[in-house]
Amino acid sequence: MKIGVIAIQGNVAEHVNALERTLAERNDRGEIIPVRQSGLVPDCDAIVLPGGESTTLARLMWKEGIAEEIQNAAALNVPILGTCAGLVLLAKHGDCQTTRTKQRLLDIMDIEVRRNAYGRQHESFETLIDIPVVGGAFPAVFIRAPAIVRCGDDVTPLARLGEYIVAAQQGNALALAFHPEMVEDTRLHHYFMDMI
Amino acid sequence: MDLNELRHGTELLKRGFAAMQKGGVIMDVTTPAQAVLAEGAGAVAVMALHAVPSEIRKQGGVARMADPQIVCEIIDSVTIPVMAKARIGHTMEARILEAIGADMLDESEVLTPADEFHIDKTEFTVPFVCGARNLGEALRRIAEGAAMIRTKGEAGTGDVREAVRHTKLITGSIRSLKGKNKEELARVAREIEAPFELVEETAKLQRLPVVNFAAGGVATPADAALMMQLGVDGVFVGSGIFTAENPEKMADAIVEAVNNYDKPDVLAEISKGLGDQMKGIDIRTLSDVETLQTRGW
């Protein structure tokens, strides 16, 4: 099993570490591959889009030709996990911020997102949110986090916080507004690996 | 913690914010237009200033935090995080910049120090980045609550030499901690004037416990790639972009160089035809009072 972590920028090492811990807990063997250029994604059995700055990630993903490869993988039902900025990139519809910065999204999930929905770094927070598919309360870290403001019919919301949806799934694509790779709890990584 | 109860300003959130910057380029900007250009080039954040460090050098006098009006205008012009500089030890400049919504503060030797002590950064909700020349300095700043470290280098010179030296000093010191027992680590802690717990943690991790960027003299795509190859998590580019002949090309090129730092053939393409680069100052021609890196302890 090969899991590709898009390693252009952001919380890459933390995702690699969380995936390795999850593999060890499952007694699974797998290879985690950092992806900074094209040519690697087609060989992967799952893809992770970490958090970082979505404008930076989008620009370099299209420039390096990784974006099209991820779209092709998604069309073949390869499981894809997007966290924070990764959630923004998975979306079909952005907001005024993504429009102004001419950010090209991947259009993999029928969701509309709002960048920095909870405000600036001063307003970043930790909390416990209820995620029924992993058995309830989950420690969630929101850093200048985006949120989902609207889901299409094929999308299942998995968690909410206040007025927004903060976790959702469409087929084998999983979008999270927070950072499961920054906590010890690996339940969401297990949930993701169950799709492979 | 109760369900849906929100906690702000925790260590995890501060260090987490810094971690989101990894693999990225943070650019000094002085106007909203420059900030928009930096964002378009793929900068992960901008540092809002009233003048770039090479200008601050030329102007002389007391260098203070930027006019909050400028910082606010830059905040309103981009979607990426906006950082701002406060003087070493100037708790009130830091409070003002926090109040207007800066995402991270740089307690910076580029500005004139306001105290011999540094700010107690644990008291703030906003995360801080601090400069360091060696492991002791880096760990003292982390003990004060810094969520991110950058090399001091020698800001405003466009000469990368000091950034290289500081990076190698820090990584070399960390390497030398390997295999040391508790009492040997305690001796190191005493020698470098850093808390034992942080020395022990660094020895175990074999890297700094927080994100570590290069800064102070990084001016070209090749400079940025050199620093990445030395193992830093990302780069700050100060005067190098907006004192270049073509800032847009230079900004694009430095962002791409960081992503391709280990591919000389790609770097060659990226480096072609960028126009005149920052003229710079050879560090050896600076007198002691002109060096910024000796500010702070």
Side-chain angles (χ1 to χ4, degrees):
Chain A
M1 177 164 55
K2 282 186 180 176
I3 303 175
V5 178
I6 306 305
I8 290 173
Q9 190 270 313
N11 226 18
V12 177
E14 289 78 359
H15 263 295
V16 170
N17 185 289
L19 289 165
E20 278 170 354
R21 276 188 288 131
T22 310
L23 283 171
E25 284 166 9
R26 301 165 76 95
N27 285 321
D28 253 348
R29 271 188 208 183
E31 197 185 342
I32 318 283
I33 305 166
V35 178
R36 284 194 286 133
Q37 278 85 25
S38 58
L40 296 166
V41 166
D43 289 333
C44 292
D45 303 298
I47 313 283
V48 176
L49 278 164
E53 275 309 312
S54 61
T55 45
T56 311
L57 287 164
R59 184 175 174 277
L60 290 171
M61 256 173 32
W62 289 103
K63 181 133 198 160
E64 300 287 345
I66 299 170
E68 289 88 348
E69 291 181 345
I70 297 173
Q71 288 176 318
N72 293 339
L76 296 169
N77 253 334
V78 171
I80 300 180
L81 166 66
T83 62
C84 194
L87 168 144
V88 176
L89 297 172
L90 286 175
K92 181 173 192 164
H93 304 288
D95 60 2
C96 55
Q97 289 193 12
T98 56
T99 311
R100 193 191 61 68
T101 54
K102 301 188 191 79
Q103 214 176 108
R104 269 179 82 188
L105 306 178
L106 293 169
D107 187 10
I108 287 171
M109 290 178 71
D110 187 8
I111 54 177
E112 184 180 328
V113 295
R114 179 164 301 160
R115 285 185 62 196
N116 306 331
Y118 298 93
R120 308 188 67 83
Q121 174 59 15
H122 196 265
E123 284 77 50
S124 291
F125 58 91
E126 292 181 50
T127 189
L128 282 177
I129 56 171
D130 182 33
I131 312 179
V133 290
V134 294
F138 190 91
V141 183
F142 290 79
I143 297 179
R144 285 173 50 97
I148 301 170
V149 293
R150 199 189 52 75
C151 283
D153 294 339
D154 299 331
V155 180
T156 313
L158 302 180
R160 289 170 198 274
L161 181 66
E163 57 182 310
Y164 299 124
I165 295 161
V166 292
Q169 184 175 356
Q170 180 177 358
N172 277 344
L174 180 61
L176 309 172
F178 50 92
H179 294 278
E181 78 282 7
M182 287 177 64
V183 295
E184 292 292 308
D185 198 320
T186 50
R187 279 177 293 161
L188 278 168
H189 280 86
H190 280 288
Y191 183 76
F192 175 60
M193 280 195 194
D194 287 343
M195 297 178 192
I196 303 172
Chain B
M1 198 161 28
D2 293 330
L3 212 59
N4 297 357
E5 170 203 340
L6 309 187
R7 273 194 203 161
H8 301 279
T10 64
E11 206 54 45
L12 185 64
L13 292 166
K14 291 177 179 178
R15 291 188 181 188
F17 170 81
M20 296 310 147
Q21 311 294 309
K22 283 190 292 185
V25 181
I26 299 168
M27 299 181 190
D28 279 1
V29 299
T30 58
T31 64
Q34 288 184 354
V36 170
L37 187 150
E39 180 180 55
V44 286
V46 291
M47 178 73 69
L49 290 159
H50 69 283
V52 293
S54 60
E55 275 302 310
I56 293 176
R57 250 178 207 291
K58 268 188 224 158
Q59 287 167 3
V62 176
R64 307 181 178 93
M65 72 168 178
D67 183 340
Q69 175 76 30
I70 296 176
V71 181
C72 286
E73 283 171 15
I74 289 171
I75 284 174
D76 290 339
S77 69
V78 289
T79 64
I80 54 178
V82 176
M83 305 182 180
K85 286 186 196 290
R87 294 162 68 181
I88 290 173
H90 206 312
T91 307
M92 218 54 228
E93 282 192 357
R95 283 290 177 205
I96 290 167
L97 294 167
E98 180 182 52
I100 60 176
D103 293 292
M104 181 175 244
L105 304 187
D106 183 0
E107 188 182 19
S108 177
E109 70 282 1
V110 168
L111 307 181
T112 311
D115 192 354
E116 60 183 306
F117 293 103
H118 289 250
I119 297 168
D120 176 5
K121 294 164 274 286
T122 59
E123 293 290 315
F124 285 73
T125 304
V126 72
F128 277 76
V129 55
C130 286
R133 286 166 297 173
N134 52 50
L135 183 59
E137 207 171 3
L139 297 184
R140 285 194 290 281
R141 296 295 86 77
I142 295 168
E144 293 159 358
M148 179 174 180
I149 293 295
R150 55 169 178 76
T151 58
K152 281 183 168 172
E154 191 54 46
T157 61
D159 187 347
V160 79
R161 181 194 310 164
E162 290 300 285
V164 169
R165 195 168 68 84
H166 297 161
T167 301
K168 285 190 169 176
L169 264 175
I170 291 172
T171 49
S173 298
I174 293 173
R175 227 180 1 255
S176 75
L177 298 179
K178 222 176 191 169
K180 281 194 161 57
N181 66 20
K182 232 172 170 173
E183 61 186 33
E184 287 162 343
L185 291 175
R187 178 179 294 156
V188 173
R190 214 167 57 218
E191 280 166 6
I192 67 172
E193 298 179 70
F196 171 75
E197 292 71 24
L198 285 174
V199 173
E200 196 180 30
E201 189 184 355
T202 305
K204 199 162 79 187
L205 293 172
Q206 276 300 297
R207 60 156 291 145
L208 287 179
V210 301
V211 169
N212 179 32
F213 269 45
V218 180
T220 66
D223 286 350
L226 171 68
M227 298 315 300
M228 291 301 289
Q229 198 240 327
L230 290 175
V232 299
D233 297 313
V235 297
F236 282 89
V237 184
S239 323
I241 291 169
F242 292 100
T243 58
E245 182 186 354
N246 191 332
E248 193 167 359
K249 267 192 186 169
M250 187 58 82
D252 278 357
I254 292 178
V255 169
E256 278 168 45
V258 166
N259 191 48
N260 292 288
Y261 72 91
D262 50 356
K263 299 192 170 49
D265 49 331
V266 182
L267 289 170
E269 285 307 311
I270 292 168
S271 303
K272 282 180 185 167
L274 296 177
D276 284 344
Q277 298 170 354
M278 176 186 181
K279 181 162 178 278
I281 308 166
D282 184 331
I283 287 166
R284 289 173 304 180
T285 64
L286 292 178
S287 69
D288 285 352
V289 288
E290 289 172 308
T291 56
L292 303 177
Q293 58 176 281
T294 49
R295 294 169 167 182
W297 63 291

